[in-house]
Amino acid sequence: MTAYIVRRILYAIPILLGVNILTFALFFVVNSPDDMARVHLGVKRVTPEAIDNWKSEHGYDRPLLFNSKEAGLEKITDTIFFQHSARLFVFDFGQSDDGRDIGYDISQRMWASLAIALPTFIVGVLINITFALLLAFFRGSLFDISGVILCVILMSISGLFYIIGGQYLLSKLWHLVPISGYDSGVNALKFLVLPVIIGVIGGIGAGTRLYRTFYLEEINKDYVRTARAKGLSELQVLFRHVLKNAMIPILTGVVVVIPLLFIGSLIMESFFGIPGLGSYTIDAINSQDFAIVRAMVFLGSVLYILGLVLTDISYTLVDPRVRLN
Amino acid sequence: MSDLLLEVNDLKTWLDTESGTVRAVDGISFTMQQGETVAILGESGCGKSMSALSLLQLVPSPAGRIEAGSVRLEGRDILQFAEKQMREVRGKRIAMIFQEPQTSLNPVMTIGEQIREVLPDRESLSQEAARTEVLRLLTAVGISDVKRRYDEYPHQLSGGMKQRAMIAMALAGSPDILIADEPTTALDVTIQAQILDLLKSIQNTTGMAVLLITHDLGIVSQSADRVLVMYAGQIVEQAPSDLFFSRPRHPYSQKLFRALPGRGKRGARLEVIPGAVPPLTTQFSGCRFVQRCERAQQICHETVPAWHGENNWGVRCHFYDTEEPVRNASETSAVTTAEQKSPGEAFLKVESLKIHFPIQKGILRRTVGYVKAVDDISFEINKGRTLALVGESGCGKTTAGKGVLQLIRPTAGSVNYLGKELTQLSRGELRALRRQFQIIFQDPYASLNPRMLVSDIVAEGLDALQTGIDATSRQQKINALLEKVGLNAEAGLRYPHEFSGGQRQRISIARALAVDPQLIVCDEPTSALDVSVQAQVLNLLKQLQDDLGLSYLFITHDLSVVEYLAHDVAVMYLGRIVESGTLQEILDHPAHPYTRALLSAAPVITRGGDKPVAHEVIKLEGDIPSPSDPPRGCHFHPRCTVAESRCRKHFPETTMLTTTHSVRCHLQK
Amino acid sequence: MSYLPHILITDALIYFLLVLVVGFAVYASRHEHLRAPWRQVFNRPLAVAALMVLSVYISIGLADSVHLRERISDTGADRADMEAQYSHQVISLLDIFLGSLRQHSEKTYSMPFATHAFSMETVIGQDGSVRREHPRLLYGGAHLKDISKRGQDIAVKTVTGILVGLIAWLLFAVLIIKVVAVRTHMAAGALWLRIKRGDTRFPWRSALSTGAVISAIVSALIVLSGNYHVLGTDQVGNDVLYKSLKSIRTGLLIGTLTTLVMLPFAVSLGIMAGYLRGWVDDVIQYTYTTLSSIPGVLLIAAAILSLQVYMTANPEQFTTVAERSDMRLLFLCIILGGTSWTGLCRLMRGETLKLREVDYIQAAVALGVPTRKIMLRHIFPNVMHIVLISVVLDFSGLVLAEAVLSYVGVGVDPAMDSWGNMINGARLEMAREPMVWWSLSAAFVFMFGLVLSANLFSDAVRDAFDPRLRKR
């Protein structure tokens, strides 16, 4: 197990390196730092001096990959790639284009992201598992069929509609909760209710339908026939035998997103004005702050790979057949 | 009949499918007495499993439904029971075990838990008492080290052990009837013997009745008191076992016996049952067997035959009382042409062939060991002869076959074809030689690409040769090949799914023949087929050998097929050949204890008249060890009844008993 | 008036896609293993209804993909020696059909069926007095002499529209039934009775009733939209119905071109990785693991951002507005494809790994069939069903994604008609009292119709093609 985890972490290094090279290529090779400066300065005020100024202010005045002017190791370290991409490996995110410490921002903002993403995730998964179980229990009946059609309808509605509709109904029409905003501590609660409800409802359609197919796949297996032949009731069969086996595919999809909860949801946070990492990213995209986007891409990859490792580990907990080595 | 236990009357189970209503079980009636073993014998798709599931109301819904009939368990019709009442019957009055122990156990629950679920009044039992009871059951079915096994999961048990656990589960409710649905079909011969033995001894101690569902006449002959023969959803014959085997009355039963391969029929053609089972969606206006019956008369087409005879000994046939026509004369005077043929020269020599698969572990995926699937085997194949590679599952026989064809590149050793060393050839050179060696697989459903027309499948080899033949001669060649394997030219315009298992195997053979090979590796080509169809394929293979001088490397676990077809035999155990020789030598003078056990474990059909042939079964204990961790010394010593101390130390050298007969056993020095 | 055809890059790709689809349909009709599952799809009433809705969307999208430039009629036009002058503005066939709808723009917002603008304006009366009032619209309800008759007028027009639509459909349906009756050798009356009972293999009843509903709605809209802005107007006074219809092409394009772009890579790389194993497998696996480890939205954002910078830095490469937004749409599809091929590639690899051990592939190897041919003839046809299933399942997700991405600011060009842009624009007016709800709702309704019918249809396709589901 330890050997497995170590190996996975070692395997993550080339992948993160690939991620870095990719973002590096997107930001510095497709467009030169000069182009970026021009975009930031606006077309009108562009002078060669202004561009150089902007570049040296942000540390983009170095060569891209290899600095022939420097000596020794500096040849490699004093480059844009090393200073702006490779340093991400030690989680040194550097400064944003408007001069803020990205690392500090992230550590401040991730808790707000977590505050809506975590409850949405937990409540959502529980509701989906329960609804799917209910549909599977009554499989083939009118209840099941209409449930599935409802799921298809729910998943055909754009997420934006849930948000706008929810805001309109609950906040604007009924004045139950504030339309958007955030506060610290317990006061945050009233701001969280709406986004969590909307997040859960938005996920019900796809989730319930997917889990239902997992259950049905298990229900048709031989061991379920054995369980019935033993004289177990349908409920016992469903809970003791089917549920446990269906948890294996469910876990694959669920565990992998847990670390990504830290990043939060871009849309939700910007609609509801939650100062989390999602809105941070959106703001960065809108103000074309590449340093932040780069940092978030890297962070996202790290968390995703972490999620994969967690998934594998969680397999060993539910599936006795899996031994990691 | 005071101890009448179960009475099934006119049971009908129908399934709704897209192509219409399938009458899977169409009015069957039978009875079971206490302590009796009743076998339902039938080929695949005859409705025997569906009958068993109907007894427990476990027919897959919503497609299936029990249309009519009654099932009286001690007088009460359990088909009328509601689901809740039925639960009291399942597991407690009637228990069931299934064919695939692998999939029939819940993979994420421990063995102990799964058995404990069945204990009657498990709520009132204390944790400790329940555990003790489960341990007792596990011991009763012959599982060793029960305390450890209790907490293990199904995947940690071998196939035979899983089936024992299934039996323990069935016993937990102390049922009156055990339905065993092909309980040993997925198991090896030596393990099959263990399980059948176990069932018998449990029956002796508990007095429960067993409904044994099988397609294997041998198993019926060994275990059953009474036989029900099912054909196309109906019982066509019912008889006490000894009467059935001495005097089968239905033409179908008679045919089945004559289609069985065996040593006595060498050189002769096996009798085949022409055609196939009619689709069960049809409305029958006459006898269901009429299209395949040689004795069919006008009446057979027009009138559904009634049940003739008593309940326990009867037959559904208009002409049941006419004598069975004289048996094939050749059956006894079997030794014919093929035997006399002098062995041609060896054209394929396999020497010290090794195929090892690395086991990798640790951070850097270092290779820490090998699964020695094939470990140092040597044999020769002569022109126009058949070498049978015999062994149980996991012994490496299929890997060896693929290694010879270079479908798996061997780790070491040589495969020499007429002076060319196949293992050393480059991919291009090898491709040019490939046509000399072809392969036929076990599973007729996986061996043909479902997306290709049969003619394209057959022509695949021709196309690969890139001989540049024109379209007409290509078509002619395809037609000729199809004809050679007994199919119409018109078959080429259809897709594989329109053919039955036996026909698919013929198409596979045609595909192999297209490139005029010297050698065909037959990897269990008949073990997925029913007896009647198997005979057709064996006949074809035999005839092709006579006509074309083909050589076969015949990989199989079925000794009756070996007896019928092989000239030479090599017995494999855990990656090594433990004994090899001519068929006669191996069958008549087996030298290795494993060979002897294998020969004795195969169920033998004893036909009434010549019954008490002393058939001593050498019972092998335990399971086949894993090839990744074979026992030290002689691989066979942990299961060997005559092992000595030296057997545990080193692997025995080859001893030549005659010029052709060699064995690797310390006791044969 | 004469026109000059003008083919945008995305148009060309759509035509290409159309050729592919037709080619596949012809191929499928000749192969039983493909025809059978499709027959199963077309026997499902819900799937047929969904397909009919989809085909309405598709025809609108296709009409909107034939682009033209109008000939400017100037005096010298008939002189042979002078080259004809064509407008710089590119319009589509759909624009020509919708003629009045496109040109009838108001000043700013107006409610659906409104006769007056939504906001007050300062008007100087004839007597010089200054008043604030909702000014009368230029086109919306302009034919009305008496504004109080508006409700009545709308009702009459709606009923007329529906009736015309139903009658037209009825005539068409009778024709179809006649044709079918002749081809199946049945009396038309008997066939009609069976259709009414829903007792036909092909679900004629639901097909005909869906058609009737569609026909009624379309006809009513045509009648009404001549005199009213049925769905109101937006901030710059454009008809919302027109914008919603124009957005269909964008939605369809994103849903299909993305797949078209990524399919060759996903399928060929996946099959190669699975069949060839070794270093090829390692490289391909590494590539898709790396790509898929970047959260999708972020990767798209990063790519679009650098595209934006590139476009700003090199404005000379994009001459017209249409070309510019077209390029951006194409790039969006490529980028979306670049992020979404990994899932399919992984599936392909897994399936190929299973297939390469299957007996018929081993038999092909034993026959000496070249590797390339094995991949093409044996593996590819046997993974096709997975490709098909994932293509139809991805479609609706991509349509929905467009709205979200446009909202984030990394979607299609802001100048382009798209549901995402419509929502995005309307969102700014959320706080307004009373709310400007119509453009938002129109975008949602149009998107919902497309996505729901796509989902229902893809469900049927999956049920028919997935062998695991078929067994049940």
Side-chain angles (χ1 to χ4, degrees), chain B residues 378-397:
Chain B
S378 307
F379 55 80
E380 292 177 356
I381 298 173
N382 297 320
K383 191 131 189 60
R385 293 191 37 121
T386 302
L387 170 67
L389 207 51
V390 183
E392 295 178 285
S393 60
C395 74
K397 55 190 193 300

Side-chain angles (χ1 to χ4, degrees), chain C residues 144-157:
Chain C
L144 290 175
K145 298 256 155 45
D146 181 3
I147 291 170
S148 61
K149 293 263 174 65
R150 189 183 65 141
Q152 198 190 338
D153 184 55
I154 292 173
V156 169
K157 286 203 157 68

Side-chain angles (χ1 to χ4, degrees), chain B residues 237 242-249 313 320 323-324 607:
Chain B
E237 178 165 3
D242 46 345
L243 284 171
F244 176 72
F245 283 96
S246 60
R247 206 151 75 82
R249 297 207 287 184
W313 191 32
Y320 67 98
E323 257 315 293
E324 183 182 350
R607 302 190 66 165

Side-chain angles (χ1 to χ4, degrees), chain B residues 69-131:
Chain B
S70 66
V71 176
R72 292 185 189 283
L73 181 66
E74 290 181 332
R76 300 216 293 157
D77 185 0
I78 57 174
L79 287 188
Q80 303 306 322
F81 278 15
E83 178 66 19
K84 193 154 189 269
Q85 278 174 295
M86 203 57 214
R87 252 179 262 143
E88 294 306 308
V89 175
R90 292 184 198 137
K92 297 171 190 73
R93 306 296 312 276
I94 307 176
M96 186 158 177
I97 60 175
F98 300 94
Q99 173 173 356
E100 282 285 348
Q102 175 70 34
T103 56
S104 298
L105 287 166
N106 187 338
V108 301
M109 254 169 116
T110 62
I111 295 295
E113 267 180 88
Q114 295 193 51
I115 298 175
R116 205 168 65 189
E117 273 190 329
V118 203
L119 293 180
D121 42 69
R122 57 181 171 274
E123 273 80 27
S124 61
L125 275 178
S126 74
Q127 192 80 358
E128 208 40 51
R131 191 183 162 91

Side-chain angles (χ1 to χ4, degrees), chain A residues 25-95:
Chain A
L26 274 178
F27 287 119
F28 295 107
V29 181
V30 174
N31 304 294
S32 67
D34 287 15
D35 293 335
M36 282 202 300
R38 255 180 237 125
V39 170
H40 269 267
L41 295 169
V43 190
K44 283 170 196 153
R45 287 187 288 135
V46 173
T47 58
E49 295 80 46
I51 289 178
D52 285 341
N53 257 338
W54 188 87
K55 273 162 62 181
S56 67
E57 247 172 61
H58 294 89
Y60 295 142
D61 53 350
R62 302 180 176 91
L64 286 181
L65 280 170
F66 187 76
N67 193 341
S68 50
K69 287 181 209 142
E70 298 292 330
L73 207 57
E74 302 261 295
K75 275 187 196 297
I76 294 171
T77 56
D78 196 31
T79 56
I80 290 182
F81 180 71
F82 191 85
Q83 292 296 326
H84 290 275
S85 279
R87 277 168 75 171
L88 293 173
F89 270 102
V90 287
F91 295 97
D92 176 359
F93 296 112
Q95 290 197 332

Side-chain angles (χ1 to χ4, degrees), chain A residues 19-305:
Chain A
V19 170
N20 257 338
I21 291 172
L22 190 76
T23 44
F24 176 78
L26 274 178
F27 287 119
F28 295 107
V29 181
V30 174
N31 304 294
S32 67
D34 287 15
D35 293 335
M36 282 202 300
R38 255 180 237 125
V39 170
H40 269 267
L41 295 169
V43 190
K44 283 170 196 153
R45 287 187 288 135
V46 173
T47 58
E49 295 80 46
I51 289 178
D52 285 341
N53 257 338
W54 188 87
K55 273 162 62 181
S56 67
E57 247 172 61
H58 294 89
Y60 295 142
D61 53 350
R62 302 180 176 91
L64 286 181
L65 280 170
F66 187 76
N67 193 341
S68 50
K69 287 181 209 142
E70 298 292 330
L73 207 57
E74 302 261 295
K75 275 187 196 297
I76 294 171
T77 56
D78 196 31
T79 56
I80 290 182
F81 180 71
F82 191 85
Q83 292 296 326
H84 290 275
S85 279
R87 277 168 75 171
L88 293 173
F89 270 102
V90 287
F91 295 97
D92 176 359
F93 296 112
Q95 290 197 332
S96 72
D97 287 347
D98 57 8
R100 297 168 56 91
D101 181 354
I102 299 177
Y104 176 79
D105 277 353
I106 289 176
S107 68
Q108 289 297 302
R109 285 173 153 255
M110 64 183 199
W111 303 111
S113 285
L114 209 55
I116 49 168
L118 194 63
T120 310
F121 169 79
I122 293 174
V123 175
V125 169
L126 288 181
I127 285 186
N128 292 346
I129 287 180
T130 321
F131 281 6
L133 207 57
L134 216 59
L135 293 184
F137 184 76
F138 293 106
R139 62 189 171 281
S141 69
L142 194 65
F143 175 76
D144 177 33
I145 294 166
S146 42
V148 172
I149 290 179
L150 185 68
C151 283
V152 177
I153 291 175
L154 281 177
M155 62 191 269
S156 302
I157 297 172
S158 167
L160 295 172
F161 183 76
Y162 288 113
I163 299 177
I164 295 175
Q167 278 185 335
Y168 179 73
L169 278 184
L170 267 72
S171 305
K172 222 168 155 180
L173 221 56
W174 300 337
H175 300 288
L176 293 178
V177 287
I179 197 156
S180 70
Y182 193 68
D183 204 345
S184 56
V186 191
N187 293 332
L189 219 55
K190 64 171 187 269
F191 292 105
L192 293 181
V193 177
L194 185 57
V196 169
I197 291 176
I198 288 171
V200 169
I201 292 177
I204 282 183
T208 301
R209 211 170 69 116
L210 182 67
Y211 295 171
R212 176 180 165 275
T213 58
F214 288 157
Y215 291 134
L216 291 190
E217 209 154 285
E218 290 299 323
I219 280 176
N220 285 300
K221 288 196 173 159
D222 284 354
Y223 71 86
V224 175
R225 189 182 56 187
T226 310
R228 292 210 186 100
K230 283 198 246 180
L232 299 185
S233 71
E234 191 64 14
L235 273 182
Q236 283 172 318
V237 170
L238 213 53
F239 276 97
R240 283 234 282 271
H241 291 266
V242 175
L243 184 60
K244 213 171 163 192
N245 279 284
M247 279 318 281
I248 297 168
I250 290 177
L251 269 181
T252 331
V254 161
V255 177
V256 74
V257 301
I258 292 179
L260 289 172
L261 295 178
F262 281 101
I263 294 194
S265 153
L266 268 61
I267 311 294
M268 286 287 212
E269 289 183 16
S270 87
F271 259 103
F272 290 101
I274 311 275
L277 288 179
S279 53
Y280 189 56
T281 315
I282 285 227
D283 293 345
I285 292 171
N286 288 333
S287 63
Q288 309 203 326
D289 193 324
F290 300 112
I292 295 177
V293 175
R294 227 164 31 229
M296 293 307 293
V297 166
F298 184 79
L299 186 64
S301 311
V302 171
L303 294 176
Y304 177 79
I305 292 169

